[in-house]
Amino acid sequence: MADSAEPPKLRRSIGARRNPATEAAILAAARDLIAERGYAGFSIEEVARRAGAGKPTIYRWWPTKADLFLTIYRAEKASTIVIPGRGDLVLDLTDYTLALWRFWRTNPAGVAFRALVAEAQADAQALVLLRDRFLPERRVPMRALLTAAAERGEISPDDIDRRVTLWIAFIWYRLLTATLAEDRDEVAAYMRLIVGRIEPR
Amino acid sequence: MADSAEPPKLRRSIGARRNPATEAAILAAARDLIAERGYAGFSIEEVARRAGAGKPTIYRWWPTKADLFLTIYRAEKASTIVIPGRGDLVLDLTDYTLALWRFWRTNPAGVAFRALVAEAQADAQALVLLRDRFLPERRVPMRALLTAAAERGEISPDDIDRRVTLWIAFIWYRLLTATLAEDRDEVAAYMRLIVGRIEPR
């Protein structure tokens, strides 16, 4: 959109603009490296080597290892799970929570997410990325899910943002204590408490 | 208690029994080292050197660095904050949450707790210690607080264990996102959601 005012000849320049083939090679190398070595063995240096790209190029597009990782994580998650919308909040949240936990247990990028949370405890850049960029975007679809449920009368319209926080806190707690079990009834019970479902009279 | 059947002469033996002076020297050295260098700079080796104790002695009493750290953490916390019992659950939980966050922000052992949670993401022994030994003992007084409130009619007696989990999940989430603010009204609002307070009619 913003490109429309730009002279056509600039379209072929390199520099800040990403070269799609290079970008694809970097992302493929990053994805493979995470699958092979997890977050601990993931480095910009090794991605550059495998992709045949310059380290400065990668650092220009992804300032830190955590940035590049989150690009892979988002893509893997988006291609693996969707936020359900069956029209029953507790059911939808239970399905989504279980699907996300399965992703965290089985997808290499999902498994590595736990290590990023750990890294953010010692690395201020990773913390800012996780807290101020990743989590706010993460909240948007969850807020929409709860808002729709409030409009249907399933929950109160108050405190929706806090309830989204409690949901994230709960799923992280289970991640960080390595207790991502497939206990559907138990998860549903937590979802009811978190959203404060209004019981039909 | 189990000692009553033991022959008196064994009471003066060394071995598995701890020597109080050595134990005190180890704990003092551990406490000072955490204050000086945080969790990253904390090691059994350095504690042994400072305390003039043998490493095997320390390892016999505390099998890992995380064990020794948690002994210090518990003692520091117990001497800094108490679980309040003013008889109003939301007020008590709000006070306690804020006091705990202050401890996590300002006491060296409290600050280091965040690093232990991070370590547990890569170290199975630290995870087991945190999840299966530390957290269950941590839940006991919180469960008692909620049970007393249920008996007073402030909350439902159902789901008390799950609500304790949600409380721990919430306080950890704020720890791990470095958002331990002194926002009393906001914390009280979360406490109301977590415990599901029954509003007076």
Side-chain angles (χ1 to χ4, degrees):
Chain A
M1 303 293 144
D3 286 357
S4 56
E6 203 173 283
K9 63 176 177 178
L10 279 185
R11 302 222 166 194
R12 301 177 68 189
S13 75
I14 51 169
R17 185 175 304 278
R18 298 187 187 188
N19 173 318
T22 306
E23 182 173 5
I26 292 167
L27 294 177
R31 186 176 176 280
D32 290 351
L33 186 58
I34 291 164
E36 282 171 39
R37 302 204 194 152
Y39 195 76
F42 181 62
S43 71
I44 298 274
E45 181 136 27
E46 179 63 11
V47 171
R49 199 188 64 72
R50 291 180 175 207
K55 277 207 289 177
T57 303
I58 301 185
Y59 278 118
R60 193 161 56 231
W61 297 343
W62 295 279
T64 65
K65 163 184 165 170
D67 276 277
L68 179 53
F69 168 73
L70 279 178
T71 298
I72 303 296
Y73 177 85
R74 280 188 196 94
E76 290 289 299
K77 188 150 71 67
S79 71
T80 308
I81 46 178
V82 292
I83 297 181
R86 289 202 271 173
D88 176 309
L89 180 62
V90 169
L91 197 62
D92 284 345
L93 274 179
T94 303
D95 284 348
Y96 185 61
T97 300
L98 290 172
L100 184 57
W101 286 359
R102 206 170 306 126
F103 175 74
W104 280 350
R105 286 198 315 268
T106 59
N107 184 291
V111 170
F113 182 69
R114 191 180 163 197
L116 173 64
V117 176
E119 183 182 56
Q121 305 315 309
D123 178 321
Q125 272 190 301
L127 174 66
V128 167
L129 178 67
L130 186 66
R131 182 187 62 202
D132 302 338
R133 296 237 318 272
F134 177 76
L135 282 174
E137 91 192 24
R138 197 73 191 68
R139 301 176 66 91
V140 174
M142 304 316 290
R143 193 183 295 123
L145 202 65
L146 268 71
T147 302
E151 284 165 4
R152 291 194 304 265
E154 290 181 36
I155 62 169
S156 158
D158 300 333
D159 297 307
I160 283 180
D161 268 305
R162 292 192 188 104
R163 295 190 188 276
V164 170
T165 299
L166 289 181
W167 177 75
I168 297 175
F170 173 70
I171 62 169
W172 276 34
Y173 176 80
R174 295 284 291 257
L175 173 69
L176 299 173
T177 52
T179 50
L180 302 178
E182 288 276 357
D183 46 355
R184 165 169 281 278
D185 292 347
E186 187 63 14
V187 170
Y190 274 105
M191 296 303 115
R192 274 190 287 273
L193 297 182
I194 288 169
V195 301
R197 180 152 77 168
I198 298 168
E199 297 302 331
R201 308 174 194 228
Chain B
M1 303 295 142
D3 286 357
S4 56
E6 202 172 283
K9 62 177 177 178
L10 279 184
R11 302 222 166 197
R12 302 175 68 187
S13 75
I14 51 169
R17 188 176 302 277
R18 299 187 187 188
N19 174 319
T22 306
E23 182 173 4
I26 292 167
L27 294 178
R31 186 177 175 279
D32 290 350
L33 186 57
I34 291 164
E36 282 172 38
R37 303 204 194 151
Y39 196 77
F42 180 61
S43 72
I44 298 274
E45 181 136 28
E46 180 64 11
V47 171
R49 199 188 64 73
R50 290 179 176 211
K55 276 206 290 177
T57 303
I58 301 184
Y59 278 119
R60 194 160 54 232
W61 297 343
W62 296 278
T64 65
K65 162 182 166 173
D67 276 278
L68 180 52
F69 167 72
L70 279 177
T71 298
I72 303 297
Y73 177 86
R74 281 190 196 93
E76 290 290 298
K77 188 151 71 67
S79 72
T80 308
I81 45 178
V82 292
I83 297 180
R86 289 203 270 174
D88 176 309
L89 180 62
V90 169
L91 197 62
D92 284 345
L93 274 180
T94 302
D95 283 348
Y96 184 61
T97 299
L98 290 172
L100 184 58
W101 287 359
R102 206 171 307 124
F103 175 74
W104 281 349
R105 285 198 315 269
T106 59
N107 182 291
V111 170
F113 182 69
R114 191 180 162 197
L116 173 64
V117 177
E119 183 183 54
Q121 305 314 310
D123 179 322
Q125 273 191 301
L127 173 66
V128 167
L129 179 67
L130 186 66
R131 182 187 63 201
D132 302 339
R133 296 237 319 271
F134 177 75
L135 282 174
E137 88 191 28
R138 197 75 191 69
R139 300 177 66 92
V140 174
M142 304 316 290
R143 193 183 296 126
L145 203 64
L146 269 71
T147 302
E151 284 164 3
R152 293 194 304 265
E154 290 181 36
I155 63 169
S156 157
D158 300 332
D159 297 307
I160 284 181
D161 268 304
R162 293 193 188 102
R163 294 189 188 279
V164 170
T165 299
L166 289 180
W167 177 74
I168 297 175
F170 173 70
I171 63 169
W172 276 34
Y173 177 79
R174 295 284 290 257
L175 173 69
L176 298 173
T177 52
T179 50
L180 302 177
E182 288 276 356
D183 45 355
R184 165 169 280 279
D185 292 347
E186 186 63 13
V187 170
Y190 275 105
M191 296 302 116
R192 274 191 287 273
L193 297 183
I194 287 169
V195 302
R197 180 152 78 170
I198 298 166
E199 297 302 331
R201 308 174 189 227

